[in-house]
C-alpha cells in the first residue's frame, strides 16, 4: 500500500522540524526471481501476499466491467470499488493492536509471509510442525517509498523481529544502499498519470527464516529508521503462525472407462508433478500439508460387467449427444449438462463401489468427518451445449439445512486438464471452500471481489471477458504464472473443518 502524498523536501537542519528523520516507508516485496531457488520464477514456494497498487487504484484497463455490465472508458481498480475498504482491512486482520503501525501518520498495510519453521529444537515446541522446506531461508526485496526527497544522511534501516526464532539477515541496511539503485516512479492512475510515487527497490535485500522454534501466533518484523539517537517505525512484515500445521488427505482415483483391443486397461497420462505442487507450491502457502494418502484405479469396465448402474454410465458416455450436453433429461425435459452429470454419477458410483469410499457404508463423500478429498482423473471430455470442453469440476451442492451452496469433497479432472497444474490446484482449492475471486454469491464469498482474469491468484481464471456476451475474450497476463493464494484464502482453507484435519493438541 503506497503513500499517496507527493514528494517534498525535508526541513533543513536548523529550521523548524519535529524530527531530523527523513520521511519514507519501507515495504517487503516478493522477488520475480527467487535467489534461494537459483533465480527461478516464483511458483508458490511460500506464501506471500500484499496489497497491490492495481487492486485499489485505477491502473489497469479492464476490458469489460462484469459487475456494472459495461465497457469502461478509463482504467479502474481490479477490486470492486465497494469492496476496497474491506480489502484493506484484510491485511490488518490478525495483527494485535499494539503491533499496528502508522508511519509518519500514514495508513500502512503490511505484506504477509508464510514459511515453515526449521530445525525446531526449542523446549516445548511443536516439532511435528517443522519442515526442511524453508531451511535455507527466503529472500525478499525491499521497496522504499519516498514521502520526502531522500538523501544520504547516514540513516540506517533496522529490522526488529518480535520473536528470537524469526531471523532476518542483515539486521540493518544503510539508506545509502537504496540510493545506489536507480529511482523509479509509480503512477497510481494510468489515465491522469498522477499521483506519482517515487521509490527505490533493493533486490533480494534480506533473507528471512524461522529457525529453532515455531510461531504460536502471527508475528512481526518491524522496520525502523534510525539516525543518531532518534528512530521511528517505517515498515512491517507480518509472518503467519506456523505452530499448527493441519493435513489434507488426498485420495487419487484413476477412472478407467475403456480397454484397448488386447483387453488391457488404457492408462491415464496425468500431471507428473501434481503431488509435488500440492505439497510445495500451493497449499503450503496456507501452512497445510496436502498429501496423497492413497492412489488406485477405479475400473468401471470391470464393474460394468457386474452392476447395471455402471453399465448404464458406460453406455451414456459413448453417446455423443450426452457428451455434448444435448441429451434431454426425461424427468426435467431440459438438456443435461454432461460435466455436472458425470461428476455426480462418478461420485455416486465411487461411494458404492470405490476402494477407499468413506466408512462406514452409507457415508457420503461430501459428509464431514472422514477428512478425505477425492481427486478423480478421467479421459472423458465433456463439452458444453455452446461448445468448449470442461477441464475440471468440483462439487457444489445446496445444503439442505441452510439452502446455501457449499463445496464438497470431490473434484473431477477431465481430459483437457489432466496435465494442467492450474486446473488441478484450482479445483482442489474449491473443495477446501475457496470460491472464485470474482464470485458474487455472498453465501459462497463474503470476501473482497475482483474482476475476472487479471490476477495471479489460483482462484482466478486464465482469461477475462472483453464483451457482455463473453464472445470476445483475452488471456490473463499471468496465464501460466498463477501460483499464489491471498492471505484471507489461507485463513479460509485452514477453517475448512470437513477437509482439513488439525493434529490433536
Amino acid at each position: 500500500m503506497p503513500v499517496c502524498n507527493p514528494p517534498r523536501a525535508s526541513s533543513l537542519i536548523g529550521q523548524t522540524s519535529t524530527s531530523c528523520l527523513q520521511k519514507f516507508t519501507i515495504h517487503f516485496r516478493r522477488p520475480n526471481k527467487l535467489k534461494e531457488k537459483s533465480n527461478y520464477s516464483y511458483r508458490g514456494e511460500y506464501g506471500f501476499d500484499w496489497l497491490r497498487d492495481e487492486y485499489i487504484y485505477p491502473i489497469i484497463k479492464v476490458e469489460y466491467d462484469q459487475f456494472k455490465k459495461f465497457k469502461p472508458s478509463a482504467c479502474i481498480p481490479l477490486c470492486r470499488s465497494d469492496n476496497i475498504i474491506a480489502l484493506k482491512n484484510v491485511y490488518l486482520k490478525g495483527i494485535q493492536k499494539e503491533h499496528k503501525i502508522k508511519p509518519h501518520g500514514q495508513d500502512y498495510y503490511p505484506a504477509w509471509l508464510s514459511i515453515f519453521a526449521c530445525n525446531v529444537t526449542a523446549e516445548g515446541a511443536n516439532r511435528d510442525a517443522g519442515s526442511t522446506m524453508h531451511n535455507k531461508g527466503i529472500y525478499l526485496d525491499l521497496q522504499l517509498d519516498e514521502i520526502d526527497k531522500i538523501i544520504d544522511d547516514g540513516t540506517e534501516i533496522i529490522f526488529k523481529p518480535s520473536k528470537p526464532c524469526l531471523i532476518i539477515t542483515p539486521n540493518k541496511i544503510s539508506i545509502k544502499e537504496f540510493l545506489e539503485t536507480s529511482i523509479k516512479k509509480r503512477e497510481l492512475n494510468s489515465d491522469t498519470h498522477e499521483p506519482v510515487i517515487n521509490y527505490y527497490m533493493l533486490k533480494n535485500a534480506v533473507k528471512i527464516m524461522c529457525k529453532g522454534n515455531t510461531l504460536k501466533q502471527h508475528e512481526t518484523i518491524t522496520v525502523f529508521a534510525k539516525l543518531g539517537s532518534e528512530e521511528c517505525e517505517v515498515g512491517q512484515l507480518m509472518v503467519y503462525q506456523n505452530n499448527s500445521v493441519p493435513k489434507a488427505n488426498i485420495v487419487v482415483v484413476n477412472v478407467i472407462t475403456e480397454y484397448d483391443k488386447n483387453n488391457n486397461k488404457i492408462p491415464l497420462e496425468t500431471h507428473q508433478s501434481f503431488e509435488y505442487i500440492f505439497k510445495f507450491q500451493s497449499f503450503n502457502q496456507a501452512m497445510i500439508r496436502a498429501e496423497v494418502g492413497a492412489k488406485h484405479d477405479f475400473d468401471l469396465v470391470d464393474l460394468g460387467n457386474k452392476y447395471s448402474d455402471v453399465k448404464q454410465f458406460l453406455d451414456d458416455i459413448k453417446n455423443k449427444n450426452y457428451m455434448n450436453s444435448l441429451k434431454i433429461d426425461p424427468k426435467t425435459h431440459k438438456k443435461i449438462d454432461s460435466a455436472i452429470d458425470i461428476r455426480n454419477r462418478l461420485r455416486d458410483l465411487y461411494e458404492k463401489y470405490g476402494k477407499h469410499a468413506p466408512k462406514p457404508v452409507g457415508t457420503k463423500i461430501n459428509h464431514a468427518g472422514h477428512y478425505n478429498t477425492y481427486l478423480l482423473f478421467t479421459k472423458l471430455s465433456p463439452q458444453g451445449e455452446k461448445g468448449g470442453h470442461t477441464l475440471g469440476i468440483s462439487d457444489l451442492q445446496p445444503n439442505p439445512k441452510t439452502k446455501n451452496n457449499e463445496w464438497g469433497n470431490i473434484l473431477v479432472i477431465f481430459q483437457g486438464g489432466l496435465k494442467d497444474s492450474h486446473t488441478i490446484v484450482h479445483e482442489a482449492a474449491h473443495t477446501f471452500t475457496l470460491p472464485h475471486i470474482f464470485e458474487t454469491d455472498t453465501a459462497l464469498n463474503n470476501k473482497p471481489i475482483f474482476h475476472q482474469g487479471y490476477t495471479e491468484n489460483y482462484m482466478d481464471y486464465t482469461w477475462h471477458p472483453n464483451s457482455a456476451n463473453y464472445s470476445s475474450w483475452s488471456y490473463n497476463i499471468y496465464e501460466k504464472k498463477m501460483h499464489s493464494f491471498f492471505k484471507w484464502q489461507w485463513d479460509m482453507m485452514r477453517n475448512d473443518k470437513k477437509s482439513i484435519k488439525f493434529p490433536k493438541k
Side-chain angles (χ1 to χ4, degrees), residues 32 57 68 74 98 103 105 150 198 206 210 279 285 290 302 323 360 364 379 398 403 439 442 461 466 476 489:
N32 292 326
Y57 294 116
K68 296 181 179 179
E98 63 270 22
I150 300 303
N198 295 325
V206 291
C210 182
K279 199 169 183 179
Q285 296 175 39
D302 180 57
M323 293 301 294
K364 301 297 184 182
K379 292 185 70 174
K403 307 301 181 185
E439 176 60 63
T442 55
Y461 272 3
N466 296 334
N476 187 329
Q489 292 172 322

Side-chain angles (χ1 to χ4, degrees), residues 241-486:
Q241 72 88 14
N242 58 19
N243 181 64
S244 185
V245 179
K247 181 180 178 181
N249 187 57
I250 313 296
V251 178
V252 177
V253 180
N254 296 315
V255 180
I256 305 299
T257 53
E258 58 180 333
Y259 285 3
D260 62 20
K261 60 183 180 181
N262 295 319
N263 208 34
N264 295 317
K265 298 177 188 177
I266 297 180
L268 277 70
E269 296 182 9
T270 60
H271 196 293
Q272 293 183 345
S273 305
F274 77 89
E275 293 183 50
Y276 181 90
I277 293 169
F278 276 180
K279 199 169 183 179
F280 297 104
Q281 293 182 338
S282 56
F283 302 114
N284 54 293
Q285 296 175 39
M287 294 287 114
I288 293 172
R289 287 196 174 105
E291 299 178 347
V292 173
K295 185 189 298 185
H296 74 107
D297 290 344
F298 186 39
D299 190 343
L300 294 185
V301 177
D302 180 57
L303 290 170
N305 296 323
K306 307 171 187 176
Y307 304 107
S308 60
D309 50 354
V310 180
K311 178 65 166 59
Q312 183 61 58
F313 176 78
L314 293 174
D315 289 342
D316 284 342
I317 61 175
K318 295 174 184 175
N319 183 315
K320 182 178 267 189
N321 282 339
Y322 175 77
M323 293 301 294
N324 292 343
S325 300
L326 298 174
K327 185 178 179 180
I328 303 297
D329 187 327
K331 295 180 180 178
T332 63
H333 305 290
K334 295 180 180 180
K335 292 176 181 175
I336 299 171
D337 185 307
S338 58
I340 293 175
D341 197 60
I342 289 170
R343 176 203 64 198
N344 292 346
R345 292 170 75 178
L346 285 177
R347 180 195 62 219
D348 295 345
L349 292 174
Y350 194 83
E351 287 172 348
K352 292 173 69 175
Y353 310 119
K355 180 178 179 180
H356 296 286
K359 300 291 189 285
V361 174
T363 303
K364 301 297 184 182
I365 281 176
N366 288 338
H367 285 174
H370 57 78
Y371 297 106
N372 289 334
T373 297
Y374 293 87
L375 167 53
L376 275 60
F377 289 117
T378 174
K379 292 185 70 174
L380 299 178
S381 185
Q383 182 174 305
E385 178 187 351
K386 296 181 180 179
H389 293 273
T390 303
L391 303 184
I393 189 170
S394 42
D395 203 355
L396 187 62
Q397 299 288 342
N399 184 313
K401 294 181 180 179
T402 65
K403 307 301 181 185
N404 293 330
N405 288 329
E406 295 181 357
W407 297 105
N409 293 325
I410 189 171
L411 60 148
V412 180
I413 304 299
F414 298 112
Q415 176 68 41
L418 292 179
K419 296 184 179 181
D420 185 352
S421 60
H422 178 265
T423 295
I424 297 170
V425 174
H426 178 101
E427 298 301 335
H430 276 321
T431 70
F432 300 154
T433 75
L434 293 193
H436 296 126
I437 64 170
F438 49 85
E439 176 60 63
T440 57
D441 181 348
T442 55
L444 282 175
N445 183 22
N446 61 357
K447 302 297 182 183
I449 301 169
F450 292 78
H451 291 279
Q452 176 189 315
Y454 292 91
T455 77
E456 61 166 26
N457 193 271
Y458 268 122
M459 302 316 292
D460 202 352
Y461 272 3
T462 58
W463 59 278
H464 59 76
N466 296 334
S467 60
N469 60 7
Y470 287 31
S471 59
S472 172
W473 58 274
S474 298
Y475 279 113
N476 187 329
I477 62 169
Y478 295 106
E479 196 233 354
K480 305 296 185 186
K481 299 177 182 179
M482 300 169 69
H483 304 301
S484 69
F485 288 113
F486 296 140

